[in-house]
Amino acid sequence: MKNFLKLFILFFPFLLLTSCFDILDKVNVKADGTGEYTIILNASKSKTRLASISKMETINGKKVPKKAEIENKINEAARIFKGTPGISNVKTSMDFDNYIIKLSCNFKKIENINAGLEQLKAKNILGKMIPTQIYSQNLDKKTLTRNKVNTFKADYDKLGKADKEIFNNARYISVMQFENTVKSQTNSAYLLAPNKKAVKLEADILDLIFQKKQLQNTILFQ
């Protein structure tokens, strides 16, 4: 369970204690391949419950992380990203009143994000089974690919009933924005914006686990 969640949320242990949260994964890519990556973890729908949990030492046998622990984990991840070649302007924000956390950075090429995730894995912030080769781009062929990732269904099937409930209302949103115009894409589950310069996928995390929706997508630009 922790390994799967870390693929998306990375640094927010409180979300292991609630099923009502949204994950926004956003990429903005310019024509030359540079761009900005942002991940937002939003558990504001569960803020009343999380505020109560934060005062406890443990819940359901799990240690409740304190604010300082969460801040340290996020700051550590930011330091690692800052040290990754091709990544710059790393910023974080933490709203502990509404339980919203944001990490963003600029990249010279989108594969720099993969390298940053590899560094997080090397420092044991990400689990060893977490895929890191998420994006790839070929400027000459005018394509950008969101690579296929594991389903984690086998790990999910091993969970107890209480742990499985964590995923019941969890949502994942992927937004990819571009300076170039999209000519075509291989995954019709991604909605194409009217201006043909952005695609968006919204899915229940359970749908991703059971492969009812796929993340992989290859986008061809005009």
Side-chain angles (χ1 to χ4, degrees):
M1 172 187 63
K2 290 182 179 179
N3 281 347
F4 177 81
L5 283 175
K6 284 180 180 178
L7 170 62
F8 298 110
I9 64 176
L10 302 181
F11 323 120
F12 199 7
F14 266 130
L15 297 189
L16 297 173
L17 308 174
T18 180
S19 64
C20 195
F21 60 88
D22 295 328
I23 302 158
L24 173 60
D25 188 12
K26 183 177 178 181
V27 175
N28 193 322
V29 185
K30 296 181 180 179
D32 62 359
T34 64
E36 182 178 4
Y37 174 77
T38 303
I39 186 165
I40 299 174
L41 323 172
N42 187 342
S44 59
K45 296 175 184 177
S46 300
K47 66 180 183 179
T48 301
R49 170 177 166 77
L50 289 173
S52 298
I53 291 174
S54 67
K55 300 175 183 178
M56 303 167 63
E57 293 297 323
T58 61
I59 182 171
N60 297 330
K62 299 180 179 69
K63 181 179 181 294
V64 176
K66 301 303 179 185
K67 177 181 176 181
E69 294 178 87
I70 297 171
E71 289 178 331
N72 288 340
K73 183 68 72 174
I74 294 168
N75 289 333
E76 181 183 359
R79 285 194 297 271
I80 292 171
F81 259 71
K82 286 177 182 178
T84 302
I87 290 179
S88 61
N89 197 30
V90 179
K91 297 179 181 179
T92 61
S93 63
M94 293 165 264
D95 180 351
F96 286 103
D97 292 323
N98 295 296
Y99 296 94
I100 301 173
I101 289 178
K102 176 181 178 181
L103 183 146
S104 66
C105 66
N106 293 106
F107 54 81
K108 289 185 177 179
K109 60 181 182 179
I110 202 164
E111 289 86 354
N112 298 143
I113 300 301
N114 301 340
L117 295 176
E118 285 281 3
Q119 289 297 314
L120 292 179
K121 182 183 287 189
K123 300 295 184 180
N124 295 318
I125 292 179
L126 289 181
K128 294 180 180 179
M129 295 178 63
I130 300 305
T132 56
Q133 301 306 307
I134 298 176
Y135 298 102
S136 59
Q137 185 169 24
N138 189 318
L139 293 177
D140 292 333
K141 294 183 178 180
K142 299 182 179 181
T143 60
L144 183 145
T145 300
R146 177 73 190 257
N147 298 322
K148 184 177 181 178
V149 299
N150 295 331
T151 67
F152 297 90
K153 183 179 182 302
D155 294 312
Y156 176 84
D157 289 341
K158 295 176 183 178
L159 298 177
K161 181 179 179 181
D163 285 339
K164 286 182 177 179
E165 289 177 353
I166 291 171
F167 299 97
N168 286 350
N169 297 305
R171 297 277 294 167
Y172 175 73
I173 303 163
S174 173
V175 176
M176 292 186 280
Q177 297 175 310
F178 315 108
E179 196 169 59
N180 292 333
T181 301
V182 174
K183 181 178 181 180
S184 65
Q185 60 176 333
T186 59
N187 188 343
S188 60
Y190 283 81
L191 298 178
L192 181 62
N195 66 359
K196 296 186 177 182
K197 291 189 174 183
V199 297
K200 180 179 181 181
L201 174 73
E202 294 190 46
D204 294 334
I205 287 181
L206 283 177
D207 285 344
L208 300 177
I209 293 175
F210 291 106
Q211 291 192 308
K212 293 180 180 179
K213 284 192 176 182
Q214 305 288 341
L215 288 175
Q216 64 263 32
N217 193 13
T218 296
I219 296 159
L220 175 66
F221 301 101
Q222 291 182 0

